[in-house]
Amino acid sequence: MAEKQEEPSNTQNGEPENAEEGEEKKKKKLKREDLPPFEIVTGERLPAIFFKFQFRNVEYSSGRNKTFLCYVLETQGKESVTSRGYLEDEHAAAHAEMAFFNTILPKCESSLRYNITWYVSSSPCVTCADRITETLKKNKNLRLTIMVGRLFMWEEPEMQAALKKMKSAGCKLRIMKPQDFEYVWQNFVEQEEGEEAKAFVPWEDIQENFQYYEEKLAEIL
């Protein structure tokens, strides 16, 4: 997320040109300070335009500074229950992976088994990877598979170490194949009301980029 630029000011001696302008700036400052540290957007289906931009498995992810996480949560007990949806972090301070454990699955019941599959626009950061590792170590009844479109900062040694820890804790980390993108398109992306569902149209370099990231992940793990 780009840093906020200082608002241009026509002030002299630290005073605004008029009281109304000064009051307006105070309101803007107050609004910014009143914002929560982050906001998590949840839902069942994400807009197609977000999917096409955020999930694209490009090598250089310029401008893609959000995390989109689609999930399938299977809870197995006396009766099996499956839920699905998506999370999107609204501000840079938020991480959708953290939000999943805080809001979608805040507590793991020891009498239940959980099979979770995430389809994420990019792999987790170091902090989120560590949280995933800790959660899996504490909850042996939880199985997590993460399908990612891109690898995030994979050249960094700290990031590579965090991904290895996730694997050792039992997390299955995979690169999304073209078929996985199609699955997300069919199951998690909004379709226009009143229209037939549009077929998934793979982008030109989808297969080559999948192979590129799959090789990089294999080298790391």
Side-chain angles (χ1 to χ4, degrees):
M1 183 178 285
E3 293 182 2
K4 286 191 173 70
Q5 298 296 316
E6 289 296 323
E7 295 173 4
S9 174
N10 296 320
T11 61
Q12 290 182 338
N13 302 322
E15 293 294 326
E17 286 181 335
N18 56 63
E20 188 176 338
E21 183 183 342
E23 192 63 34
E24 188 63 31
K25 286 189 178 178
K26 281 182 187 175
K27 285 180 183 176
K28 284 183 181 177
K29 184 179 179 186
L30 188 63
K31 280 181 184 175
R32 281 200 294 268
E33 290 176 350
D34 283 350
L35 280 174
F38 61 83
E39 178 186 350
I40 294 295
V41 177
T42 61
E44 293 183 7
R45 289 181 177 263
L46 65 152
I49 191 170
F50 289 173
F51 169 81
K52 290 176 181 178
F53 180 71
Q54 297 287 352
F55 270 88
R56 189 157 181 157
N57 59 352
V58 291
E59 183 177 349
Y60 300 104
S61 54
S62 177
R64 294 169 174 85
N65 52 6
K66 284 188 175 190
T67 302
F68 282 78
L69 186 158
C70 302
Y71 65 87
V72 180
L73 169 60
E74 298 175 53
T75 306
Q76 298 175 343
K78 289 183 180 178
E79 294 182 7
S80 293
V81 179
T82 301
S83 60
R84 66 178 66 225
Y86 88 95
L87 296 165
E88 161 199 346
D89 49 34
E90 185 65 24
H91 299 119
H95 296 146
E97 297 93 336
M98 296 279 199
F100 179 88
F101 291 117
N102 293 338
T103 61
I104 307 300
L105 189 63
K107 187 177 180 182
C108 288
E109 299 287 347
S110 58
S111 60
L112 302 174
R113 291 178 63 85
Y114 303 90
N115 290 326
I116 304 167
T117 304
W118 289 351
Y119 297 87
V120 196
S121 50
S122 67
S123 59
C125 67
V126 171
T127 303
C128 286
D130 288 344
R131 170 71 184 276
I132 291 166
T133 299
E134 291 168 13
T135 302
L136 290 175
K137 284 182 176 179
K138 286 179 185 175
N139 302 281
K140 299 298 183 183
N141 56 330
L142 195 158
R143 299 285 179 270
L144 177 62
T145 301
I146 306 179
M147 314 290 294
V148 301
R150 304 181 302 276
L151 290 176
F152 174 69
M153 296 180 68
W154 58 268
E155 295 125 317
E156 300 292 329
E158 189 181 12
M159 187 72 256
Q160 294 181 7
L163 294 179
K164 288 176 182 176
K165 286 179 188 175
M166 277 175 46
K167 182 187 177 184
S168 66
C171 178
K172 295 179 181 176
L173 187 64
R174 304 283 188 269
I175 304 298
M176 288 175 66
K177 300 176 181 178
Q179 301 94 301
D180 298 315
F181 288 105
E182 183 174 11
Y183 175 83
V184 173
W185 173 263
Q186 292 173 345
N187 291 277
F188 294 100
V189 176
E190 290 177 353
Q191 303 292 336
E192 294 293 333
E193 288 187 21
E195 291 187 13
E196 288 187 27
K198 293 179 180 177
F200 172 66
V201 180
W203 42 92
E204 186 179 351
D205 49 2
I206 189 171
Q207 178 66 25
E208 291 83 352
N209 291 349
F210 155 68
Q211 291 172 334
Y212 170 81
Y213 277 122
E214 189 177 50
E215 288 172 9
K216 297 302 177 189
L217 183 60
E219 290 171 9
I220 294 168
L221 300 181

